[in-house]
Amino acid sequence: MSKMSRVGLTVALAVTVFVAGGIGLFHGSADAPATAPVQAPSTSVLLRPLAAGGSLEDAIANLQQRLRVVPTDWKGFASLGLEYIAEARASADPTFYPKAEGVLQQSLQINGQDNFEALVGLGALALARHDFAGALADGRRAVAMNPYDADVYGVIGDAQIELGHYRQAFATFQTMVDTRPDLSSYARVSYARELQGDVRGAIVSMQAAEEAAGTPSDSAWASFQLGELYWNSGRVDKAAQAYRRGTELAPEYVPPIAGLAKVAWAKGDIDRAVSLFTEVVQRYPSPEYVIALGDLYAVQGQQEQADRQYALVRAEHDLFAANGVNIDLELALFDADHGAAPDALVAARAEWARRQSIHVADALGWALYANGRYAQAARYAGKALALGTRNASFMFHAGMIQFRLGNDAAARDLLREALATNPNFSILYAQAAKVTLANLEGVT
């Protein structure tokens, strides 16, 4: 029994409490913006980007062998689709997504009547490709066939979150908890709490997720997420402990090493930070880690090395796009931060036309800022903060926008809040935030 169910925890957020399976989730007040025994992985694999390794490769090989023998096994094709999605996530290799789409569609061709498994798989694939409207549609079709499967609520709720439908998403996550309280549902509750500014509640929920973990890899994932919660709230030493625990539980799992690289940077050990991020990028070349390594080089004045990493980021973005992954949000922020302001605005506007979440609002506001359109930028920066999310980057962006508008008091308050929340929120901008705030306080 998890800690959460033992204490009968409820969520201290804003409005109504819903309690089931020992966990409660509040609705926020605004919609601001091989063989038969081989089983399909849960769609919650999207929530847990496990390390690449023998287990995934063996599962894929076994399913491929079975499908050669039994080519009408529609459930086997659906299972293989989820395994391909898992492999893409584990290896940061998007070329597995078209393979996943092919076998999921093959599953539907064999059985298009009551193929819940393939529909959930397509929803999971759409999430991975950032087609959130498509994921929501597939999830709704699947839940109409089987309303008793928790994973489908994870697909639906994740899509709703990314589309900015927060009230509906929180209700969906509550249904997921009611259906199956486990690592995946507790983790989603944690994220819902974090979005609404309840960092303490988010940590407690993630601790429950860690207790519910069934394997060392799952425990490592949850430990890493705890580290991120501590990191984002400025508790570097607590974050380091959680990251370290993640590396001990699953040495093959790379993200906690990236966490330790951030800790090394925060403590001023730049050489160790560069060494760790280099190891991470070699093992798991996710764009966010390549960018971090490039930014470390940049702030140290090693622009040639930084430019090599940034060129890799753009090549990776092209690879993701070629395999059906929408990367406009990530590209907008990268371009705004790295000297391509017009491109950033094009990408951010395109993404805002598709979905109006707080993360897209922040990216659009920052892209407008990079283009000198400060009054427009302020509108979207306000939307990004509408849920009360304790995100230091959001606060920094809003503060710099107010600074450019000449609203010194508002800028000072926002920059203070950003640095109080997480003084190490950005390799590129943490020092700029401190300098700007010091200048504002000197004026007053």
Side-chain angles (χ1 to χ4, degrees):
M1 184 178 292
S2 74
K3 180 188 298 182
M4 187 162 293
S5 59
R6 287 199 303 269
V7 302
L9 183 68
T10 59
V11 185
L13 292 178
V15 207
T16 310
V17 188
F18 296 82
V19 182
I23 189 166
L25 177 60
F26 276 70
H27 292 246
S29 60
D31 282 329
T35 59
V38 176
Q39 297 180 350
S42 165
T43 53
S44 58
V45 72
L46 293 177
L47 190 64
R48 309 196 303 271
L50 304 179
S55 61
L56 274 176
E57 294 170 1
D58 290 347
I60 289 172
N62 288 341
L63 281 165
Q64 289 172 334
Q65 176 62 30
R66 171 168 175 77
L67 291 168
R68 280 191 285 268
V69 176
V70 189
T72 58
D73 181 3
W74 53 274
K75 286 190 177 182
F77 279 109
S79 297
L80 183 56
L82 285 175
E83 295 287 0
Y84 281 144
I85 297 169
E87 182 64 32
R89 298 281 294 184
S91 62
D93 182 355
T95 62
F96 283 96
Y97 292 140
K99 296 177 183 179
E101 182 177 12
V103 295
L104 290 167
Q105 292 294 350
Q106 179 68 17
S107 179
L108 283 173
Q109 287 177 15
I110 298 168
N111 177 12
Q113 298 301 312
D114 58 351
N115 194 341
F116 169 82
E117 291 84 355
L119 285 176
V120 175
L122 286 173
L125 176 60
L127 285 176
R129 284 174 154 174
H130 300 178
D131 174 14
F132 302 114
L136 183 57
D138 288 329
R140 285 174 170 165
R141 289 171 62 199
V143 80
M145 291 182 183
N146 181 2
Y148 305 107
D149 183 274
D151 289 328
V152 70
Y153 294 110
V155 171
I156 293 171
D158 289 352
Q160 289 168 329
I161 284 281
E162 296 295 344
L163 291 167
H165 304 165
Y166 296 107
R167 198 193 315 261
Q168 298 96 316
F170 300 154
T172 301
F173 289 161
Q174 184 62 55
T175 302
M176 186 181 185
V177 175
D178 294 346
T179 305
R180 189 188 66 211
D182 67 353
L183 182 149
S184 297
S185 55
Y186 288 152
R188 284 175 169 90
V189 171
S190 176
Y191 185 49
R193 289 170 165 173
E194 183 186 11
L195 283 172
Q196 295 174 94
D198 180 13
V199 177
R200 181 179 177 277
I203 289 171
V204 171
S205 298
M206 192 57 70
Q207 288 170 335
E210 186 174 24
E211 289 190 9
T215 67
S217 292
D218 284 356
S219 295
W221 179 88
S223 187
F224 168 69
Q225 296 301 323
L226 278 169
E228 292 291 271
L229 286 165
Y230 289 128
W231 173 266
N232 291 334
S233 54
R235 286 171 274 187
V236 175
D237 289 338
K238 293 281 286 183
Q241 291 172 10
Y243 294 145
R244 225 172 268 118
R245 187 165 67 250
T247 63
E248 292 165 357
L249 286 164
E252 73 282 0
Y253 182 47
V254 175
I257 302 172
L260 291 173
K262 292 191 298 185
V263 170
W265 165 72
K267 293 179 176 291
D269 190 344
I270 304 301
D271 289 343
R272 177 163 172 75
V274 169
S275 175
L276 287 172
F277 268 126
T278 299
E279 177 187 350
V280 167
V281 167
Q282 289 172 345
R283 292 175 58 184
Y284 187 72
S286 175
E288 65 177 302
Y289 300 140
V290 180
I291 292 170
L293 179 56
D295 289 349
L296 270 176
Y297 283 131
V299 299
Q300 294 302 304
Q302 301 178 57
Q303 197 58 48
E304 184 177 348
Q305 292 94 323
D307 288 342
R308 290 197 191 101
Q309 301 305 317
Y310 298 153
L312 177 56
V313 172
R314 296 192 182 281
E316 288 182 328
H317 280 157
D318 290 345
L319 177 62
F320 275 85
N323 286 280
V325 183
N326 182 324
I327 43 100
D328 278 347
L329 174 60
E330 295 79 6
L331 195 59
L333 286 169
F334 177 76
D335 283 341
D337 286 341
H338 298 90
D343 293 338
L345 188 53
V346 170
R349 282 178 166 160
E351 195 62 13
W352 184 254
R354 282 186 286 269
R355 57 189 179 112
Q356 300 184 0
S357 72
I358 59 172
H359 290 88
V360 181
D362 170 70
L364 180 50
W366 194 234
L368 286 162
Y369 170 91
N371 283 273
R373 304 183 185 187
Y374 305 127
Q376 289 177 278
R379 175 187 168 205
Y380 292 99
K383 290 179 181 291
L385 294 168
L387 282 180
T389 311
R390 306 295 300 164
N391 186 307
S393 292
F394 288 7
M395 298 167 191
F396 168 72
H397 292 163
M400 293 305 295
I401 291 165
Q402 292 299 323
F403 174 68
R404 292 300 182 186
L405 288 170
N407 299 329
D408 288 356
R412 185 174 60 248
D413 289 347
L414 284 161
L415 293 175
R416 279 177 180 166
E417 193 172 8
L419 290 168
T421 299
N422 182 7
N424 305 296
F425 70 93
S426 168
I427 293 170
L428 277 185
Y429 291 121
Q431 185 60 30
K434 293 169 187 175
V435 170
T436 304
L437 179 59
N439 289 338
L440 286 167
E441 290 175 335
V443 169
T444 57

